[in-house]
Amino acid sequence: MVVSCVAASELLYRMNKQIIILYPKNLCIIRRISTTSSQWHVQPQPRARSAPHHLVGVVGLEIHAQVNSNTKLFSSSPVCFSAPPNSLVSFFDASLPGTLPVLNRRCVEAAVMTGLALNCTINRKSLFDRKHYFYADLPAGYQITQQRQPIAVDGMMTYSRLEGKKGSQVIRRNVRIKQIQLEQDSGKSLHDDVHSQTLIDLNRAGVGLMELVMEPDMSCGEEAAAAVRELQLILQALGTCQGNMSEGQLRVDANVSVHRPGEPLGIRTEVKNINSVRYLARAIDYEIQRQIDVLQRGGTVQNETRAYDSKSGETIPMRDKEGLQDYRFMPEPNLPPLIVYEDNASLPTGIDACQAVVVQKIREGLPELPSVKRDRLVQTYGILPEHSFTLVNEDGLVEFFEAVLKATKKEPRKVIGWVTNELLGHLKQKDMSVAESPISPLALAELLELQETGHISSSVAKQVFQEMWRSSDKSPLHIIQEQDLGLVSDATQLHKICQKVVDLHPDEVNAIRSGNKKVLNKLMGLVQKETKGRADPLLVRAILQEKTS
């Protein structure tokens, strides 16, 4: 018995790791914590008499959106991605004794604006709570959040998906928003297995978050991905969150279960911290199928927290799911109730309107939301629904498109192809944003006007576009004159070229004379090849029709 106790002590000692908090000027704090992993004890389950059939997935989401603010939620520390480790940490962020939280008004206004955009009820009085859990990157041992009474509740978001063979059918669905709550972020742990230590960066500790809880109204990964993408666009339009998932500004936890329709929901698992819309869809679909397989084998789904491994495409267990009792929620004693006001008339005497959060003022400042913008583009310009999705999904592309339309008489349906195919294609190829485009809306409009008025052909227009991309200082007209790309409209010259093409292709001429009029397009292409795309297509068609009749 003595030997076994000694062995156990040595094992525990070896499994301890050093937690090192890096501070500027080579100051290090070393903390020892136990990092032993819990064992999974799954009791064998009796095999079901008959395997369940027609199981379907049920998906709810918890989304943490980083508030677009210059400072943190309860301190004046600046917020900046990729700053040197522990360079943006106040005394409060590090949880030094005697420090107190001071609420950031910008974060409150952002949460109210987001709640209004998602059709939520804004609570005039909301409360802050302490949520206890012990991570190395949470210095205080608790997180300040809103458990009992959050700032916004009972909302609804409509999201759309393109379906059908050509993706031209718009399917709209609704997802209920249970609540939006303000809370502070934790720090970041970087695990170094080689040296058996964990490095702690507290730059992110205390950054303001909006946690949006979506009800389980989705059934698959594709629906969840569409909902998150719509939310991302809404937050970016509002300016309340930049929504950059690669920088952790938008993190998604997916609650997944399966059941037979009409029966109670099954036991759910939580897939944590998914930082990509594409990975979200894959993780959810994998988890749904995994749970179906477990139940069909007669097993029981465990209520657990899992992680998604993007390399294997699988979810893997992390830990047992904490219950509410594990967090030991309690009211935050250092923060009074958060009060917001409906309008200026409801402000108490002596309260300055500039210092209060007024819902009506925020409501009046709401921008055009993505769904409204898509509908407006389709109705106003007659473009296809899929084109409206492309325009809205790219930051600044709608404004570019509308600026081109204002400067040209070309029909919107013809302009949209240039914007979504030519311009956006070049931007994607170079990994550039719309704001970085070397071709301005006015320059593109000038090019399209030259094509519309018959100065250049469509093929030459694309050639000029390529040159404009390479030489942004040159106007379309300058390029056309410099390279002699103007349309050839001289009838005598075109008659000679058309006669040459007709003489060299007797089989095509006979086919046209036999009634196959489509072959004429081939002869027109050959004429354009001879003229390097500069021939007037209307004149060429008339000449060829005359010579092949």
Side-chain angles (χ1 to χ4, degrees), residues 303-315:
N303 181 215
E304 61 187 6
T305 299
R306 302 177 70 88
Y308 177 66
D309 184 348
S310 60
K311 294 182 179 179
S312 66
E314 301 176 349
T315 63

Side-chain angles (χ1 to χ4, degrees), residues 174-187:
N174 295 324
V175 57
R176 292 169 293 158
I177 309 295
K178 179 181 179 181
Q179 65 189 54
I180 301 174
Q181 62 195 48
L182 280 169
E183 61 186 29
Q184 58 181 170
D185 206 348
S186 62

Side-chain angles (χ1 to χ4, degrees), residues 64 73-74 92 101 103 126-133 138 142-151 179-185 207 209-213 324 327-333 335-336 338:
H64 290 88
L73 183 58
F74 297 118
F92 177 80
L103 183 58
S126 58
L127 306 172
F128 287 99
D129 307 278
R130 290 185 179 183
K131 177 182 179 181
H132 293 80
Y133 51 92
L138 192 68
Y142 62 83
Q143 174 194 44
I144 300 178
T145 182
Q146 292 187 308
Q147 169 65 17
R148 293 169 295 162
Q149 194 163 340
I151 195 166
Q179 65 189 54
I180 301 174
Q181 62 195 48
L182 280 169
E183 61 186 29
Q184 58 181 170
D185 206 348
V207 170
L209 299 177
M210 295 180 290
E211 181 177 359
L212 299 97
V213 181
L324 291 179
Y327 292 126
R328 294 183 293 112
F329 285 101
M330 61 171 283
E332 169 54 56
L335 286 168
L338 171 59

Side-chain angles (χ1 to χ4, degrees), residues 47 62 146 350 407 435 448 464 480-481 497:
R47 187 171 183 84
E62 297 175 12
Q146 292 187 308
L448 298 183
V464 174
I480 293 168
Q481 293 173 345
I497 297 173

Side-chain angles (χ1 to χ4, degrees), residues 53-256:
H53 297 288
H54 307 299
L55 290 165
V56 297
V58 178
V59 182
L61 300 176
E62 297 175 12
I63 301 170
H64 290 88
Q66 180 179 314
V67 178
N68 185 19
S69 172
N70 293 328
T71 55
K72 297 183 180 180
L73 183 58
F74 297 118
S75 78
S76 59
S77 297
V79 176
C80 180
F81 181 74
S82 72
N86 295 300
S87 61
L88 307 176
V89 185
S90 70
F91 292 154
F92 177 80
D93 303 330
S95 193
L96 269 62
T99 56
L100 294 173
V102 178
L103 183 58
N104 183 340
R105 177 184 166 188
R106 159 62 185 165
C107 294
V108 177
E109 291 176 335
V112 171
M113 179 176 282
T114 302
L116 292 173
L118 297 177
N119 305 296
C120 292
T121 298
I122 306 300
N123 284 325
R124 300 299 179 262
K125 176 182 177 181
S126 58
L127 306 172
F128 287 99
D129 307 278
R130 290 185 179 183
K131 177 182 179 181
H132 293 80
Y133 51 92
F134 298 98
Y135 291 168
D137 50 21
L138 192 68
Y142 62 83
Q143 174 194 44
I144 300 178
T145 182
Q146 292 187 308
Q147 169 65 17
R148 293 169 295 162
Q149 194 163 340
I151 195 166
V153 295
D154 300 332
M156 179 78 72
M157 184 184 76
T158 300
Y159 64 96
S160 302
R161 295 166 54 201
L162 291 174
E163 295 184 356
K165 294 182 178 180
K166 296 183 179 180
S168 58
Q169 185 180 3
V170 179
I171 303 298
R172 285 185 168 87
R173 302 195 189 283
N174 295 324
V175 57
R176 292 169 293 158
I177 309 295
K178 179 181 179 181
Q179 65 189 54
I180 301 174
Q181 62 195 48
L182 280 169
E183 61 186 29
Q184 58 181 170
D185 206 348
S186 62
K188 187 176 182 180
S189 299
L190 302 173
H191 304 291
D192 184 357
D193 293 332
V194 176
H195 299 93
S196 297
Q197 62 185 11
T198 295
L199 307 179
I200 303 298
D201 181 6
L202 294 180
N203 278 348
R204 203 173 66 186
V207 170
L209 299 177
M210 295 180 290
E211 181 177 359
L212 299 97
V213 181
M214 293 184 177
E215 297 283 10
D217 295 336
M218 294 154 283
S219 61
C220 64
E222 188 177 352
E223 287 185 2
V228 169
R229 181 57 180 147
E230 185 71 12
L231 176 64
Q232 188 179 37
L233 291 172
I234 291 173
L235 296 175
Q236 290 169 344
L238 297 173
T240 57
C241 174
Q242 294 179 358
N244 190 333
M245 299 188 75
S246 63
E247 294 184 3
Q249 294 169 353
L250 201 68
R251 307 192 293 272
V252 184
D253 301 337
N255 295 306
V256 182

Side-chain angles (χ1 to χ4, degrees), residues 270-276 278-284 286-287 290 305-318:
E270 183 179 28
V271 186
K272 293 284 288 185
N273 291 333
I274 307 172
N275 61 356
S276 159
R278 180 179 57 181
Y279 290 160
L280 174 68
R282 293 178 180 177
I284 290 173
Y286 173 85
E287 183 61 19
R290 185 192 71 82
T305 299
R306 302 177 70 88
Y308 177 66
D309 184 348
S310 60
K311 294 182 179 179
S312 66
E314 301 176 349
T315 63
I316 54 178
M318 294 174 61

Side-chain angles (χ1 to χ4, degrees), residues 158-452:
T158 300
Y159 64 96
S160 302
R161 295 166 54 201
L162 291 174
E163 295 184 356
K165 294 182 178 180
K166 296 183 179 180
S168 58
Q169 185 180 3
V170 179
I171 303 298
R172 285 185 168 87
R173 302 195 189 283
N174 295 324
V175 57
R176 292 169 293 158
I177 309 295
K178 179 181 179 181
Q179 65 189 54
I180 301 174
Q181 62 195 48
L182 280 169
E183 61 186 29
Q184 58 181 170
D185 206 348
S186 62
K188 187 176 182 180
S189 299
L190 302 173
H191 304 291
D192 184 357
D193 293 332
V194 176
H195 299 93
S196 297
Q197 62 185 11
T198 295
L199 307 179
I200 303 298
D201 181 6
L202 294 180
N203 278 348
R204 203 173 66 186
V207 170
L209 299 177
M210 295 180 290
E211 181 177 359
L212 299 97
V213 181
M214 293 184 177
E215 297 283 10
D217 295 336
M218 294 154 283
S219 61
C220 64
E222 188 177 352
E223 287 185 2
V228 169
R229 181 57 180 147
E230 185 71 12
L231 176 64
Q232 188 179 37
L233 291 172
I234 291 173
L235 296 175
Q236 290 169 344
L238 297 173
T240 57
C241 174
Q242 294 179 358
N244 190 333
M245 299 188 75
S246 63
E247 294 184 3
Q249 294 169 353
L250 201 68
R251 307 192 293 272
V252 184
D253 301 337
N255 295 306
V256 182
S257 65
V258 297
H259 76 138
R260 283 184 285 190
E263 295 186 357
L265 298 181
I267 297 174
R268 67 181 175 90
T269 62
E270 183 179 28
V271 186
K272 293 284 288 185
N273 291 333
I274 307 172
N275 61 356
S276 159
V277 173
R278 180 179 57 181
Y279 290 160
L280 174 68
R282 293 178 180 177
I284 290 173
D285 288 340
Y286 173 85
E287 183 61 19
I288 289 173
Q289 188 58 50
R290 185 192 71 82
Q291 292 185 21
I292 290 175
D293 292 343
V294 168
L295 294 176
Q296 288 181 340
R297 290 195 304 268
T300 301
V301 175
Q302 302 296 316
N303 181 215
E304 61 187 6
T305 299
R306 302 177 70 88
Y308 177 66
D309 184 348
S310 60
K311 294 182 179 179
S312 66
E314 301 176 349
T315 63
I316 54 178
M318 294 174 61
R319 59 180 183 269
D320 291 327
K321 180 64 181 167
E322 297 94 337
L324 291 179
Q325 69 278 2
D326 298 320
Y327 292 126
R328 294 183 293 112
F329 285 101
M330 61 171 283
E332 169 54 56
N334 295 322
L335 286 168
L338 171 59
I339 306 297
V340 299
Y341 301 93
E342 176 59 32
D343 49 34
N344 288 340
S346 64
L347 290 173
T349 304
I351 298 293
D352 186 356
C354 296
Q355 300 299 320
V357 176
V358 181
V359 175
Q360 183 60 35
K361 182 179 178 181
I362 296 174
R363 183 182 286 112
E364 291 172 354
L366 287 175
E368 185 181 41
L369 296 179
S371 59
V372 177
K373 186 175 292 187
R374 285 193 291 264
D375 291 342
R376 177 179 64 81
L377 291 170
V378 172
Q379 294 170 6
T380 303
Y381 303 117
I383 62 176
L384 298 175
E386 53 265 37
H387 288 152
S388 71
F389 275 80
T390 303
L391 289 175
V392 173
N393 286 352
E394 293 296 327
D395 187 28
L397 198 59
V398 171
E399 292 76 13
F400 191 103
F401 171 68
E402 293 187 314
V404 174
L405 289 179
K406 289 180 181 179
T408 179
K409 297 177 181 178
K410 204 172 184 69
E411 293 181 4
R413 282 179 172 266
K414 295 181 179 178
V415 174
I416 191 67
W418 282 90
V419 173
T420 59
N421 295 331
E422 300 299 326
L423 178 72
L424 190 57
H426 279 70
L427 291 173
K428 294 289 187 183
Q429 188 176 9
K430 298 295 183 180
D431 195 23
M432 297 167 62
S433 66
V434 176
E436 296 171 322
S437 171
I439 299 178
S440 68
L442 290 179
L444 180 56
E446 182 183 347
L447 173 63
L448 298 183
E449 273 296 290
L450 291 169
Q451 180 192 355
E452 187 72 11

